[in-house]
Amino acid sequence: MSNATHDSAVTGIRSKFSKLGPTWVAGAIAAGPASMAAVLGAGATFGYALLWVVVLSALLGATTQYLSMRLGLLTERGIVGAVEDHLGELWAWVLVIDTVLASGLAQIVIMKTVAEVSGTITGFDARLWSVVWALVLAAGLAGGGYRFLEVGAKAIVSVVVVAFVASAFFVPIDAGAAASGMVPTIPNGLDGALLAAGVLGGAVHITLITMQSYTMQARGWTREDYDLGRFDVATSMLVAFGVFSVATFLVAASVLAPEFSPGGDLNAAVAADALGPLAGEYAQALFLFGLWGAAVSTLGANTVVPPYLLADKLGWETNVSDGRFRAAVVAVALIGALGAFLGGEFFTLLVVMLAFGLVGTPFALVVVLYLLNHPGAVPEQNPTAANVGGVAVLVIASVLAGVFVRDQYAQGSLTDPVTAFVLAFAVAMAAATLGLIGKFVLSARRSTPTVEAGSDA
Protein backbone atom coordinates (compact mmCIF):
# COMPACT_ATOMS: atom_id res chain seq x y z
CA MET A 1 0.00 0.00 0.00
CA SER A 2 1.42 3.38 -1.00
CA ASN A 3 1.84 6.17 1.54
CA ALA A 4 -0.81 8.20 -0.25
CA THR A 5 -3.33 5.34 -0.05
CA HIS A 6 -2.48 4.72 3.59
CA ASP A 7 -2.82 8.40 4.47
CA SER A 8 -6.14 8.53 2.64
CA ALA A 9 -7.44 5.51 4.57
CA VAL A 10 -6.35 6.99 7.91
CA THR A 11 -7.96 10.31 7.02
CA GLY A 12 -11.18 8.52 6.06
CA ILE A 13 -11.30 6.64 9.36
CA ARG A 14 -10.63 9.80 11.34
CA SER A 15 -13.34 11.62 9.40
CA LYS A 16 -15.83 8.84 10.11
CA PHE A 17 -15.07 8.83 13.83
CA SER A 18 -15.33 12.62 13.99
CA LYS A 19 -18.88 12.40 12.64
CA LEU A 20 -20.04 9.99 15.34
CA GLY A 21 -22.19 11.27 18.14
CA PRO A 22 -25.92 10.52 18.56
CA THR A 23 -25.56 6.99 19.94
CA TRP A 24 -22.53 8.08 21.95
CA VAL A 25 -24.90 10.37 23.84
CA ALA A 26 -27.06 7.30 24.54
CA GLY A 27 -23.84 5.48 25.47
CA ALA A 28 -23.04 8.22 27.97
CA ILE A 29 -26.24 7.28 29.78
CA ALA A 30 -25.73 3.53 29.32
CA ALA A 31 -22.15 3.59 30.65
CA GLY A 32 -23.24 5.78 33.56
CA PRO A 33 -23.17 5.39 37.34
CA ALA A 34 -26.37 3.35 37.40
CA SER A 35 -24.98 0.70 35.05
CA MET A 36 -21.72 0.80 36.98
CA ALA A 37 -23.58 0.20 40.24
CA ALA A 38 -25.68 -2.61 38.75
CA VAL A 39 -22.75 -4.38 37.11
CA LEU A 40 -20.48 -4.02 40.15
CA GLY A 41 -23.31 -5.15 42.41
CA ALA A 42 -24.03 -8.18 40.24
CA GLY A 43 -20.39 -9.25 40.24
CA ALA A 44 -19.78 -8.52 43.92
CA THR A 45 -22.97 -10.24 45.12
CA PHE A 46 -23.17 -13.33 42.93
CA GLY A 47 -19.70 -13.74 41.49
CA TYR A 48 -19.81 -14.76 37.83
CA ALA A 49 -23.42 -16.04 37.91
CA LEU A 50 -24.93 -13.05 36.08
CA LEU A 51 -22.28 -12.73 33.37
CA TRP A 52 -24.87 -13.87 30.82
CA VAL A 53 -27.01 -10.84 31.61
CA VAL A 54 -24.04 -8.48 31.21
CA VAL A 55 -23.08 -9.90 27.82
CA LEU A 56 -26.71 -9.99 26.72
CA SER A 57 -27.23 -6.37 27.78
CA ALA A 58 -24.62 -5.13 25.30
CA LEU A 59 -26.06 -7.19 22.43
CA LEU A 60 -29.64 -6.20 23.18
CA GLY A 61 -28.67 -2.59 23.82
CA ALA A 62 -27.03 -2.37 20.40
CA THR A 63 -30.06 -4.05 18.78
CA THR A 64 -32.44 -1.60 20.44
CA GLN A 65 -30.43 1.45 19.41
CA TYR A 66 -30.17 0.13 15.86
CA LEU A 67 -33.96 -0.12 15.68
CA SER A 68 -34.34 3.36 17.15
CA MET A 69 -31.75 4.73 14.72
CA ARG A 70 -33.51 3.07 11.81
CA LEU A 71 -36.88 4.53 12.81
CA GLY A 72 -35.47 8.01 13.29
CA LEU A 73 -33.61 8.13 9.99
CA LEU A 74 -36.33 6.53 7.85
CA THR A 75 -39.09 8.75 9.20
CA GLU A 76 -36.85 11.81 9.66
CA ARG A 77 -39.16 12.67 12.55
CA GLY A 78 -38.94 12.70 16.32
CA ILE A 79 -40.44 9.54 17.77
CA VAL A 80 -43.33 11.38 19.48
CA GLY A 81 -44.30 13.11 16.23
CA ALA A 82 -44.18 9.80 14.38
CA VAL A 83 -46.38 8.16 17.02
CA GLU A 84 -48.92 11.00 16.88
CA ASP A 85 -49.03 10.88 13.07
CA HIS A 86 -49.56 7.13 12.75
CA LEU A 87 -50.96 5.90 16.09
CA GLY A 88 -52.76 8.90 17.50
CA GLU A 89 -52.46 11.53 20.21
CA LEU A 90 -53.32 9.21 23.11
CA TRP A 91 -50.42 6.87 22.39
CA ALA A 92 -48.09 9.84 21.97
CA TRP A 93 -49.01 11.11 25.44
CA VAL A 94 -48.53 7.64 26.95
CA LEU A 95 -45.02 7.54 25.50
CA VAL A 96 -44.24 11.05 26.78
CA ILE A 97 -45.48 10.30 30.30
CA ASP A 98 -43.68 6.95 30.42
CA THR A 99 -40.40 8.54 29.40
CA VAL A 100 -40.70 11.62 31.60
CA LEU A 101 -41.35 9.49 34.70
CA ALA A 102 -38.35 7.23 34.02
CA SER A 103 -35.95 10.03 33.06
CA GLY A 104 -37.23 12.31 35.84
CA LEU A 105 -36.44 9.70 38.49
CA ALA A 106 -33.07 9.17 36.84
CA GLN A 107 -32.33 12.91 36.95
CA ILE A 108 -32.88 13.11 40.70
CA VAL A 109 -30.97 9.93 41.58
CA ILE A 110 -28.00 10.71 39.31
CA MET A 111 -27.79 14.26 40.67
CA LYS A 112 -27.63 12.74 44.16
CA THR A 113 -24.71 10.63 42.93
CA VAL A 114 -22.86 13.59 41.38
CA ALA A 115 -23.42 15.75 44.46
CA GLU A 116 -22.32 13.13 46.98
CA VAL A 117 -19.24 12.11 45.01
CA SER A 118 -18.31 15.78 44.55
CA GLY A 119 -18.80 16.27 48.28
CA THR A 120 -16.57 13.29 49.08
CA ILE A 121 -13.81 14.53 46.80
CA THR A 122 -13.87 18.16 47.97
CA GLY A 123 -15.19 17.95 51.52
CA PHE A 124 -18.00 20.42 50.82
CA ASP A 125 -21.65 19.71 51.60
CA ALA A 126 -23.34 17.55 48.93
CA ARG A 127 -26.44 19.76 49.05
CA LEU A 128 -24.33 22.73 48.00
CA TRP A 129 -22.86 20.70 45.17
CA SER A 130 -26.32 19.69 43.95
CA VAL A 131 -27.21 23.36 43.50
CA VAL A 132 -23.87 24.14 41.85
CA TRP A 133 -24.15 21.25 39.39
CA ALA A 134 -27.76 22.09 38.57
CA LEU A 135 -26.74 25.64 37.66
CA VAL A 136 -23.71 24.47 35.64
CA LEU A 137 -25.87 21.96 33.81
CA ALA A 138 -28.58 24.50 33.08
CA ALA A 139 -26.12 27.09 31.79
CA GLY A 140 -24.06 24.61 29.75
CA LEU A 141 -26.94 22.84 28.00
CA ALA A 142 -29.10 25.93 27.52
CA GLY A 143 -26.13 27.85 26.12
CA GLY A 144 -24.06 25.20 24.36
CA GLY A 145 -26.85 22.91 23.25
CA TYR A 146 -26.24 19.51 21.70
CA ARG A 147 -22.58 19.97 20.72
CA PHE A 148 -21.65 20.78 24.32
CA LEU A 149 -23.33 17.55 25.36
CA GLU A 150 -21.85 15.36 22.63
CA VAL A 151 -18.21 16.41 23.07
CA GLY A 152 -18.38 15.91 26.83
CA ALA A 153 -20.05 12.53 26.44
CA LYS A 154 -17.40 11.18 24.06
CA ALA A 155 -14.49 12.32 26.24
CA ILE A 156 -15.76 11.19 29.63
CA VAL A 157 -17.21 7.87 28.49
CA SER A 158 -13.88 7.05 26.81
CA VAL A 159 -11.96 7.76 30.04
CA VAL A 160 -14.33 5.59 32.11
CA VAL A 161 -14.09 2.70 29.64
CA VAL A 162 -10.28 2.80 29.61
CA ALA A 163 -10.04 2.87 33.42
CA PHE A 164 -12.13 -0.25 33.95
CA VAL A 165 -10.77 -2.18 30.99
CA ALA A 166 -7.20 -1.58 32.19
CA SER A 167 -8.09 -2.94 35.63
CA ALA A 168 -9.22 -6.25 34.08
CA PHE A 169 -5.58 -7.01 33.20
CA PHE A 170 -4.52 -6.88 36.84
CA VAL A 171 -6.97 -9.34 38.42
CA PRO A 172 -7.05 -13.18 38.41
CA ILE A 173 -10.19 -14.02 36.42
CA ASP A 174 -11.52 -17.56 36.90
CA ALA A 175 -12.21 -18.67 33.32
CA GLY A 176 -14.17 -21.77 34.39
CA ALA A 177 -16.45 -19.85 36.72
CA ALA A 178 -16.91 -17.16 34.07
CA ALA A 179 -17.96 -19.81 31.54
CA SER A 180 -20.54 -21.19 33.99
CA GLY A 181 -21.88 -17.65 34.36
CA MET A 182 -23.03 -17.76 30.74
CA VAL A 183 -25.77 -20.23 31.72
CA PRO A 184 -28.98 -18.21 32.25
CA THR A 185 -30.08 -18.19 35.89
CA ILE A 186 -31.35 -15.55 38.31
CA PRO A 187 -30.16 -16.28 41.86
CA ASN A 188 -31.52 -15.31 45.26
CA GLY A 189 -34.98 -13.80 44.78
CA LEU A 190 -35.39 -10.03 44.76
CA ASP A 191 -31.66 -9.28 45.01
CA GLY A 192 -30.91 -11.31 41.90
CA ALA A 193 -33.97 -10.05 40.02
CA LEU A 194 -33.19 -6.44 40.91
CA LEU A 195 -29.59 -6.68 39.76
CA ALA A 196 -30.47 -8.57 36.56
CA ALA A 197 -33.16 -6.00 35.73
CA GLY A 198 -30.73 -3.21 36.60
CA VAL A 199 -27.97 -4.58 34.35
CA LEU A 200 -30.31 -4.99 31.37
CA GLY A 201 -32.04 -1.70 32.17
CA GLY A 202 -28.74 0.12 31.79
CA ALA A 203 -28.56 -0.84 28.12
CA VAL A 204 -32.22 -1.29 27.15
CA HIS A 205 -33.97 1.73 28.60
CA ILE A 206 -36.83 3.90 27.44
CA THR A 207 -34.66 7.01 27.78
CA LEU A 208 -32.12 5.64 25.29
CA ILE A 209 -34.81 4.48 22.88
CA THR A 210 -36.72 7.76 22.74
CA MET A 211 -33.78 10.17 22.64
CA GLN A 212 -32.14 8.63 19.55
CA SER A 213 -34.30 10.35 16.94
CA TYR A 214 -33.79 13.77 18.53
CA THR A 215 -30.02 13.56 18.87
CA MET A 216 -29.81 12.53 15.21
CA GLN A 217 -31.98 15.51 14.29
CA ALA A 218 -29.73 17.76 16.35
CA ARG A 219 -26.77 16.45 14.37
CA GLY A 220 -28.62 17.02 11.08
CA TRP A 221 -28.62 13.35 10.05
CA THR A 222 -30.98 12.15 7.31
CA ARG A 223 -31.58 8.88 5.44
CA GLU A 224 -28.32 9.51 3.60
CA ASP A 225 -26.49 8.90 6.90
CA TYR A 226 -27.88 5.40 7.43
CA ASP A 227 -24.49 3.64 7.15
CA LEU A 228 -22.93 6.18 9.49
CA GLY A 229 -25.78 5.55 11.92
CA ARG A 230 -25.05 1.82 11.98
CA PHE A 231 -21.36 2.51 12.59
CA ASP A 232 -22.31 4.92 15.38
CA VAL A 233 -24.40 2.23 17.09
CA ALA A 234 -21.75 -0.46 16.69
CA THR A 235 -18.85 1.59 18.07
CA SER A 236 -20.72 3.06 21.03
CA MET A 237 -23.19 0.48 22.33
CA LEU A 238 -21.75 -2.78 21.08
CA VAL A 239 -18.02 -2.06 21.46
CA ALA A 240 -17.48 0.74 23.99
CA PHE A 241 -20.41 -0.08 26.27
CA GLY A 242 -19.98 -3.84 25.85
CA VAL A 243 -16.28 -3.81 26.72
CA PHE A 244 -16.89 -1.43 29.64
CA SER A 245 -19.67 -3.50 31.21
CA VAL A 246 -18.03 -6.91 30.75
CA ALA A 247 -14.65 -5.72 32.04
CA THR A 248 -16.24 -3.99 35.04
CA PHE A 249 -18.27 -7.10 35.87
CA LEU A 250 -15.29 -9.46 35.62
CA VAL A 251 -13.21 -7.24 37.89
CA ALA A 252 -16.00 -7.07 40.48
CA ALA A 253 -16.60 -10.83 40.35
CA SER A 254 -12.88 -11.53 40.73
CA VAL A 255 -11.98 -8.97 43.40
CA LEU A 256 -15.15 -8.12 45.34
CA ALA A 257 -17.13 -11.37 45.35
CA PRO A 258 -14.72 -13.32 47.61
CA GLU A 259 -14.92 -10.55 50.23
CA PHE A 260 -18.49 -9.26 49.81
CA SER A 261 -21.39 -10.89 51.65
CA PRO A 262 -24.57 -11.35 49.59
CA GLY A 263 -27.24 -9.12 51.06
CA GLY A 264 -24.66 -6.57 52.17
CA ASP A 265 -24.78 -2.93 51.17
CA LEU A 266 -22.46 -2.15 48.27
CA ASN A 267 -21.25 1.43 48.47
CA ALA A 268 -18.60 3.55 46.81
CA ALA A 269 -15.93 2.70 49.37
CA VAL A 270 -16.43 -1.06 48.93
CA ALA A 271 -16.79 -0.82 45.14
CA ALA A 272 -13.52 1.12 44.93
CA ASP A 273 -11.68 -2.01 46.08
CA ALA A 274 -12.35 -3.42 42.59
CA LEU A 275 -9.59 -1.15 41.29
CA GLY A 276 -7.16 -2.05 44.08
CA PRO A 277 -5.04 -4.42 41.95
CA LEU A 278 -4.59 -1.63 39.39
CA ALA A 279 -4.31 1.51 41.50
CA GLY A 280 -3.32 0.33 44.98
CA GLU A 281 -3.74 3.12 47.52
CA TYR A 282 -5.15 5.37 44.79
CA ALA A 283 -8.02 2.97 44.02
CA GLN A 284 -10.68 5.00 45.79
CA ALA A 285 -9.61 8.25 44.14
CA LEU A 286 -9.55 6.61 40.70
CA PHE A 287 -12.91 4.96 41.25
CA LEU A 288 -14.52 8.18 42.45
CA PHE A 289 -13.17 10.02 39.41
CA GLY A 290 -14.61 7.37 37.09
CA LEU A 291 -17.92 7.38 38.92
CA TRP A 292 -18.01 11.18 38.89
CA GLY A 293 -17.21 11.34 35.16
CA ALA A 294 -19.82 8.73 34.30
CA ALA A 295 -22.41 10.53 36.42
CA VAL A 296 -21.71 13.95 34.90
CA SER A 297 -21.92 12.67 31.32
CA THR A 298 -25.10 10.72 32.09
CA LEU A 299 -26.68 13.68 33.83
CA GLY A 300 -26.00 15.94 30.85
CA ALA A 301 -27.49 13.47 28.38
CA ASN A 302 -30.51 12.65 30.55
CA THR A 303 -31.41 16.32 31.12
CA VAL A 304 -32.43 16.92 27.51
CA VAL A 305 -34.70 13.86 27.19
CA PRO A 306 -37.93 15.22 28.76
CA PRO A 307 -37.59 18.56 26.88
CA TYR A 308 -37.11 16.71 23.58
CA LEU A 309 -40.33 14.71 23.96
CA LEU A 310 -42.40 17.56 25.39
CA ALA A 311 -41.22 19.94 22.65
CA ASP A 312 -42.09 17.44 19.92
CA LYS A 313 -45.54 16.82 21.42
CA LEU A 314 -46.31 20.52 21.92
CA GLY A 315 -44.98 21.67 18.56
CA TRP A 316 -41.84 23.51 19.75
CA GLU A 317 -38.45 23.42 18.09
CA THR A 318 -36.29 20.69 19.64
CA ASN A 319 -33.22 22.89 20.12
CA VAL A 320 -32.10 25.78 22.29
CA SER A 321 -33.01 28.35 19.62
CA ASP A 322 -36.58 27.95 20.91
CA GLY A 323 -36.96 29.74 24.24
CA ARG A 324 -39.60 27.25 25.42
CA PHE A 325 -37.28 24.30 24.81
CA ARG A 326 -34.42 26.13 26.52
CA ALA A 327 -36.66 26.88 29.52
CA ALA A 328 -37.63 23.21 29.76
CA VAL A 329 -33.95 22.20 29.77
CA VAL A 330 -33.24 24.67 32.57
CA ALA A 331 -36.26 23.42 34.54
CA VAL A 332 -35.19 19.75 34.33
CA ALA A 333 -31.61 20.68 35.31
CA LEU A 334 -32.80 22.62 38.35
CA ILE A 335 -35.29 19.95 39.45
CA GLY A 336 -32.36 17.56 39.65
CA ALA A 337 -30.99 19.61 42.56
CA LEU A 338 -33.57 17.86 44.74
CA GLY A 339 -31.45 14.73 44.46
CA ALA A 340 -29.11 15.65 47.31
CA PHE A 341 -32.09 15.74 49.68
CA LEU A 342 -33.16 12.20 48.72
CA GLY A 343 -32.56 9.64 51.46
CA GLY A 344 -30.81 6.31 51.06
CA GLU A 345 -27.53 4.99 49.64
CA PHE A 346 -27.10 6.20 46.06
CA PHE A 347 -25.61 2.88 44.89
CA THR A 348 -28.84 1.08 45.80
CA LEU A 349 -31.05 3.84 44.40
CA LEU A 350 -29.22 3.75 41.06
CA VAL A 351 -30.04 0.06 40.56
CA VAL A 352 -33.69 0.54 41.59
CA MET A 353 -33.89 3.45 39.13
CA LEU A 354 -32.76 1.23 36.24
CA ALA A 355 -35.14 -1.57 37.20
CA PHE A 356 -38.01 0.92 37.35
CA GLY A 357 -37.10 2.26 33.91
CA LEU A 358 -37.02 -1.28 32.52
CA VAL A 359 -40.67 -1.72 33.57
CA GLY A 360 -41.65 1.09 31.19
CA THR A 361 -39.35 0.00 28.37
CA PRO A 362 -41.43 -2.78 26.70
CA PHE A 363 -44.04 -0.19 25.69
CA ALA A 364 -41.40 1.90 23.91
CA LEU A 365 -40.05 -1.22 22.17
CA VAL A 366 -43.54 -2.09 20.89
CA VAL A 367 -43.94 1.49 19.64
CA VAL A 368 -40.70 1.26 17.66
CA LEU A 369 -41.51 -2.16 16.18
CA TYR A 370 -45.07 -1.07 15.32
CA LEU A 371 -43.88 2.01 13.43
CA LEU A 372 -41.06 0.15 11.67
CA ASN A 373 -43.69 -2.29 10.33
CA HIS A 374 -46.27 0.40 9.51
CA PRO A 375 -46.17 1.07 5.73
CA GLY A 376 -47.46 4.58 6.23
CA ALA A 377 -44.66 5.44 8.67
CA VAL A 378 -41.62 3.79 7.07
CA PRO A 379 -41.26 3.62 3.28
CA GLU A 380 -39.53 0.25 3.21
CA GLN A 381 -40.19 -3.14 4.78
CA ASN A 382 -38.40 -3.81 8.05
CA PRO A 383 -35.86 -6.66 7.64
CA THR A 384 -36.86 -9.97 9.17
CA ALA A 385 -33.64 -10.08 11.20
CA ALA A 386 -34.43 -6.65 12.68
CA ASN A 387 -37.93 -7.78 13.65
CA VAL A 388 -36.64 -11.00 15.20
CA GLY A 389 -34.01 -9.08 17.15
CA GLY A 390 -36.57 -6.54 18.31
CA VAL A 391 -39.01 -9.21 19.47
CA ALA A 392 -36.18 -10.98 21.32
CA VAL A 393 -35.31 -7.75 23.15
CA LEU A 394 -39.00 -7.20 23.94
CA VAL A 395 -39.47 -10.70 25.37
CA ILE A 396 -36.30 -10.66 27.48
CA ALA A 397 -36.91 -7.13 28.79
CA SER A 398 -40.51 -8.03 29.65
CA VAL A 399 -39.50 -11.21 31.47
CA LEU A 400 -36.81 -9.52 33.58
CA ALA A 401 -39.08 -6.57 34.33
CA GLY A 402 -41.84 -9.02 35.30
CA VAL A 403 -39.53 -10.97 37.59
CA PHE A 404 -38.45 -7.74 39.27
CA VAL A 405 -42.06 -6.59 39.79
CA ARG A 406 -43.12 -10.02 41.07
CA ASP A 407 -40.29 -10.19 43.59
CA GLN A 408 -40.82 -6.54 44.56
CA TYR A 409 -44.41 -7.44 45.41
CA ALA A 410 -43.36 -10.63 47.25
CA GLN A 411 -40.84 -8.74 49.39
CA GLY A 412 -42.91 -5.60 49.94
CA SER A 413 -46.44 -4.59 50.78
CA LEU A 414 -49.13 -2.55 49.07
CA THR A 415 -48.99 -0.18 52.04
CA ASP A 416 -45.37 0.59 51.18
CA PRO A 417 -45.50 3.65 48.86
CA VAL A 418 -42.53 2.53 46.73
CA THR A 419 -43.94 -0.96 46.17
CA ALA A 420 -47.42 0.43 45.49
CA PHE A 421 -46.08 2.93 42.95
CA VAL A 422 -43.94 0.34 41.15
CA LEU A 423 -46.90 -2.05 40.91
CA ALA A 424 -49.30 0.67 39.71
CA PHE A 425 -46.79 1.80 37.09
CA ALA A 426 -46.19 -1.79 35.99
CA VAL A 427 -49.92 -2.51 35.62
CA ALA A 428 -50.52 0.70 33.66
CA MET A 429 -47.61 0.09 31.29
CA ALA A 430 -48.48 -3.58 30.82
CA ALA A 431 -52.03 -2.58 29.86
CA ALA A 432 -50.72 0.03 27.42
CA THR A 433 -48.26 -2.43 25.90
CA LEU A 434 -50.87 -5.17 25.44
CA GLY A 435 -53.29 -2.61 24.04
CA LEU A 436 -50.78 -1.48 21.44
CA ILE A 437 -49.93 -5.07 20.50
CA GLY A 438 -53.66 -5.73 20.06
CA LYS A 439 -53.97 -2.65 17.87
CA PHE A 440 -51.09 -3.89 15.70
CA VAL A 441 -52.62 -7.37 15.32
CA LEU A 442 -56.01 -5.95 14.32
CA SER A 443 -54.39 -3.56 11.85
CA ALA A 444 -52.35 -6.39 10.31
CA ARG A 445 -55.44 -8.57 9.90
CA ARG A 446 -57.36 -5.77 8.18
CA SER A 447 -54.52 -5.14 5.75
CA THR A 448 -54.10 -8.83 4.83
CA PRO A 449 -55.82 -9.50 1.47
CA THR A 450 -58.34 -12.34 1.41
CA VAL A 451 -58.67 -14.83 -1.44
CA GLU A 452 -62.11 -14.64 -3.05
CA ALA A 453 -64.03 -17.85 -3.71
CA GLY A 454 -63.38 -19.20 -7.19
CA SER A 455 -60.18 -17.24 -7.71
CA ASP A 456 -56.79 -18.79 -8.28
CA ALA A 457 -54.86 -19.45 -5.10
Side-chain angles (χ1 to χ4, degrees):
M1 179 184 292
S2 67
N3 289 336
T5 302
H6 177 268
D7 290 344
S8 177
V10 171
T11 300
I13 293 173
R14 287 177 178 173
S15 175
K16 200 167 187 177
F17 272 98
S18 69
K19 294 176 181 177
L20 299 180
T23 313
W24 280 83
V25 177
I29 296 180
S35 290
M36 192 183 298
V39 170
L40 285 170
T45 305
F46 300 113
Y48 297 96
L50 290 175
L51 177 59
W52 69 275
V53 179
V54 178
V55 173
L56 195 63
S57 72
L59 296 174
L60 298 186
T63 300
T64 304
Q65 292 311 118
Y66 165 73
L67 293 172
S68 301
M69 176 276 297
R70 179 175 170 79
L71 178 64
L73 290 185
L74 293 182
T75 60
E76 296 188 351
R77 289 291 310 274
I79 189 171
V80 172
V83 170
E84 189 162 15
D85 288 346
H86 303 287
L87 298 179
E89 186 174 11
L90 173 63
W91 296 108
W93 273 119
V94 172
L95 182 63
V96 171
I97 294 170
D98 186 8
T99 307
V100 168
L101 283 175
S103 60
L105 176 62
Q107 188 75 11
I108 293 173
V109 175
I110 296 169
M111 180 62 85
K112 176 182 175 67
T113 304
V114 172
E116 292 194 4
V117 172
S118 299
T120 300
I121 293 173
T122 64
F124 291 108
D125 194 310
R127 290 169 295 183
L128 175 62
W129 272 115
S130 70
V131 175
V132 170
W133 276 114
L135 293 173
V136 169
L137 197 61
L141 291 176
Y146 174 77
R147 294 299 296 169
F148 169 85
L149 169 62
E150 182 186 297
V151 171
K154 283 183 179 179
I156 297 177
V157 171
S158 297
V159 170
V160 174
V161 170
V162 169
F164 279 93
V165 171
S167 65
F169 291 94
F170 291 83
V171 301
I173 296 173
D174 187 334
S180 67
M182 291 300 295
V183 178
T185 180
I186 300 179
N188 200 32
L190 180 60
D191 288 339
L194 175 61
L195 288 168
V199 169
L200 184 62
V204 181
H205 195 279
I206 187 169
T207 300
L208 309 182
I209 295 170
T210 54
M211 74 184 300
Q212 185 79 355
S213 59
Y214 301 105
T215 51
M216 290 190 301
Q217 282 184 341
R219 193 62 189 267
W221 284 11
T222 66
R223 296 179 191 179
E224 301 299 319
D225 298 295
Y226 190 86
D227 289 340
L228 182 59
R230 288 192 299 185
F231 187 65
D232 193 45
V233 170
T235 54
S236 58
M237 288 300 297
L238 189 61
V239 178
F241 175 75
V243 170
F244 157 74
S245 55
V246 170
T248 302
F249 176 85
L250 292 176
V251 170
S254 300
V255 177
L256 298 181
E259 307 295 333
F260 186 74
S261 300
D265 292 325
L266 186 67
N267 54 47
V270 175
D273 292 339
L275 296 180
L278 169 68
E281 62 181 299
Y282 301 104
Q284 186 166 0
L286 180 60
F287 177 78
L288 287 175
F289 172 76
L291 183 64
W292 174 83
V296 170
S297 65
T298 301
L299 194 61
N302 188 78
T303 301
V304 299
V305 175
Y308 273 146
L309 272 72
L310 285 171
D312 196 8
K313 182 66 190 73
L314 298 174
W316 307 343
E317 293 294 326
T318 54
N319 57 66
V320 294
S321 65
D322 190 313
R324 296 164 297 183
F325 178 84
R326 188 165 58 249
V329 170
V330 171
V332 175
L334 295 180
I335 288 172
L338 298 173
F341 301 91
L342 190 66
E345 169 61 47
F346 70 77
F347 247 70
T348 301
L349 291 173
L350 286 168
V351 180
V352 172
M353 175 202 82
L354 287 181
F356 175 79
L358 185 63
V359 172
T361 296
F363 175 75
L365 289 169
V366 172
V367 165
V368 171
L369 288 170
Y370 192 125
L371 292 176
L372 283 173
N373 289 278
H374 190 303
V378 176
E380 60 184 63
Q381 185 175 359
N382 203 41
T384 300
N387 282 329
V388 171
V391 171
V393 177
L394 174 62
V395 170
I396 294 170
S398 299
V399 168
L400 285 181
V403 170
F404 162 68
V405 172
R406 180 200 67 190
D407 289 342
Q408 178 75 38
Y409 173 73
Q411 296 287 329
S413 166
L414 290 178
T415 59
D416 173 51
V418 174
T419 299
F421 180 71
V422 169
L423 290 177
F425 181 69
V427 170
M429 295 317 305
T433 302
L434 292 174
L436 191 55
I437 291 173
K439 179 179 175 66
F440 175 77
V441 172
L442 289 175
S443 177
R445 290 183 64 180
R446 291 194 192 102
S447 63
T448 301
T450 58
V451 179
E452 297 182 2
S455 64
D456 292 336

